[in-house]
Amino acid sequence: MKLYHIISSVLSAFFGVQNNKKFKEDEDFIEQNGVKYFLIAGFFIVVFGIIVLRSLVGIIVD
């Protein structure tokens, strides 16, 4: 599974718009490789989102 697919799956999970086919693919990947790739991608996406929100608030407030 490519990095793009992992990131898109994590973003889909954040917004709750995952379809059943993609969910099954992710489930198979997790059974084979573990959940660590999804956790790492999720962590970086959350950190990136916090940085973006802080920047936007800083721009708006100033």
Side-chain angles (χ1 to χ4, degrees):
M1 186 173 258
K2 296 183 179 180
L3 181 62
Y4 168 77
H5 294 291
I6 292 172
I7 292 173
S8 68
S9 292
V10 171
L11 287 173
S12 297
F14 279 148
F15 294 110
V17 293
Q18 189 87 320
N19 64 23
N20 286 334
K21 179 184 173 193
K22 187 73 169 165
F23 180 77
K24 181 66 176 159
E25 291 173 6
D26 294 343
E27 192 174 64
D28 292 339
F29 179 82
I30 290 172
E31 286 180 8
Q32 294 174 356
N33 301 305
V35 72
K36 64 184 172 188
Y37 299 110
F38 288 95
L39 290 175
I40 293 168
F43 174 77
F44 283 113
I45 290 171
V46 167
V47 169
F48 179 73
I50 290 171
I51 291 170
V52 168
L53 286 174
R54 287 194 64 183
S55 299
L56 287 174
V57 169
I59 291 170
I60 292 171
V61 171
D62 286 340

